[in-house]
Each structure stands twice: as C-alpha cells, then as structure tokens.
C-alpha cells in the first residue's frame, strides 16, 4: 500500500503581504542575522521568537573552532526561552540569514536537528509553533505547525513503548 504525506503552507512574494506583527518579526530576524557569531562559515542565521505574553526573544547561530560545538540559531532560541521563560509558550519563530559571500534572498528551513528540538517544545506545550522563513529580502514561507516539517518523528512516546 502506498501512502502519501502532504501539508499546506503559505507562500508570500514579500513581507508586505503579511500581518504587521509577522512582518516585524521577520524584519527583526533579517537584522539580527548580521550579528551572528560565525567566524568559520560566515553564514549568519537568526531566529526571533514571539512568546504568548507578547515578549520577543532573539538569537543567532554560535560557532566554535571545534566545528561540531557550534549551535544553530533556532536551538539557541529554544534553549534561551526554556531557560529564562520556562513556562511561557512560544507561538511563532521567524528565521532569516545573512550570507555576504553568496545568496541570501530565498527562505531557508531549519535543519533536521532543529526540527527535532522544535518538536520537543511543541509536545511540551501541546500547541503548534508557527514558522516564518525568509532571506534578507524577497519571498516568505509560513508553516503553521513546525511538526509538518518532521514526518515520522521520534518522541517521548516511543521511549515509553
Ligand atoms: N545554521 C543555523 O543556525 N540554522 C539552520 O537552520 C541551518 C544552519 C547554522 C549552522 C552553522 O553555524 C551555519 O548555519 C552554516 O551551516
């Protein structure tokens, strides 16, 4: 039997087509990406989170001379929120990047490890996290539920058997 996986997402030509709140989150991510600590890749990523109490938290990727020690902007954000505001739910995450040596005008999506980390956050609060993906300019992809990006996921339920 063949089965199919599909999900719906929103595509916008420009941030001007989004709500003022989401537009502002993306603009903050676009700017914050310029301040990432990326001496090795020179590829700055930023994640900006909107919490349910209206607070906004910003993060960037943090690299290390021992390359695997580096951490993606999305997981820096999730760890910061979970440490500083452990009981406050994350509603939305805007992700953007700055790549002075190359292309940065198309959306990027979180890496596999960050999708797993997003899943943990969602299962903890039982609510979806909305993602806003974009480069320094141009189109925006809006994913209503970050778990749409991680089919066949592994979670605590599997550990319990
Ligand atoms: N990176 C992120 O911060 N988020 C992603 O979703 C993909 C990749 C970082 C890791 C590394 O510092 C740089 O981008 C190049 O891979």
């Amino acid at each position: 039997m063949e089965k199919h996986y599909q999900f719906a997402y929103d595509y916008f030509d420009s941030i001007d087509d989004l709500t003022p709140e989401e537009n502002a989150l993306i603009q903050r991510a676009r700017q914050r990406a310029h301040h990432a600590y990326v001496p090795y890749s020179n590829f700055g990523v930023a994640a900006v989170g909107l919490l349910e109490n209206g607070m906004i938290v910003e993060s960037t990727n943090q690299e290390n001379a021992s390359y695997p020690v580096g951490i993606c902007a999305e997981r820096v954000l999730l760890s910061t929120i979970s440490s500083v505001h452990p009981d406050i739910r994350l509603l939305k995450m805007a992700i953007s990047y700055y790549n002075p040596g190359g292309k940065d005008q198309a959306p990027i999506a979180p890496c596999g490890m960050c999708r797993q980390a997003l899943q943990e956050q969602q299962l903890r609060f039982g609510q979806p996290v909305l993602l806003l993906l974009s480069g320094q300019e141009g189109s925006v992809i809006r994913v209503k539920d970050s778990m749409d990006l991680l089919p066949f996921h592994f979670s605590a339920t599997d550990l319990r058997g």
Side-chain angles (χ1 to χ4, degrees):
M1 185 198 302
E2 187 178 65
K3 297 191 176 189
H4 295 260
Y5 170 80
Q6 60 178 11
F7 71 99
Y9 62 90
D10 301 314
Y11 176 91
F12 303 90
D13 283 327
S14 143
I15 57 169
D16 301 333
D17 302 329
L18 286 131
T19 63
E21 178 190 76
E22 293 182 346
N23 183 312
L25 289 175
I26 295 164
Q27 288 200 46
R28 286 175 82 132
R30 287 178 171 179
Q31 287 160 17
R32 180 57 53 197
H34 292 247
H35 305 288
Y37 180 67
V38 288
Y40 307 104
S41 72
N42 223 23
F43 189 89
V45 182
V48 173
L50 172 68
L51 307 187
E52 63 182 344
N53 65 355
M55 203 173 272
I56 290 175
V57 183
E58 302 190 2
S59 72
T60 58
N61 50 335
Q62 301 294 312
E63 297 188 343
N64 192 283
S66 174
Y67 296 170
V69 176
I71 178 166
C72 294
E74 296 90 330
R75 277 176 294 128
V76 172
L77 184 71
L78 292 171
S79 301
T80 303
I81 293 170
S82 184
S83 304
V84 183
H85 309 291
D87 303 318
I88 305 179
R89 188 163 77 85
L90 171 64
L91 301 179
K92 301 182 181 186
M93 185 192 288
I95 300 163
S96 187
Y97 64 109
Y98 174 57
N99 181 24
K103 210 167 67 76
D104 60 13
Q105 280 133 32
I108 54 163
C111 79
M113 203 183 269
C114 290
R115 293 177 196 203
Q116 182 72 22
L118 272 157
Q119 173 195 248
E120 189 77 22
Q121 156 83 24
Q122 290 203 191
L123 293 179
R124 187 169 160 192
F125 288 98
Q127 298 282 337
V129 175
L130 181 147
L131 300 180
L132 297 162
L133 313 175
S134 81
Q136 283 298 309
E137 53 187 83
S139 60
V140 178
I141 288 174
R142 182 169 65 192
V143 177
K144 291 180 201 73
D145 180 340
S146 78
M147 277 173 73
D148 286 340
L149 300 182
L150 195 67
F152 296 101
H153 44 261
F154 179 84
S155 70
T157 319
D158 300 304
L159 286 177
R160 284 193 288 272

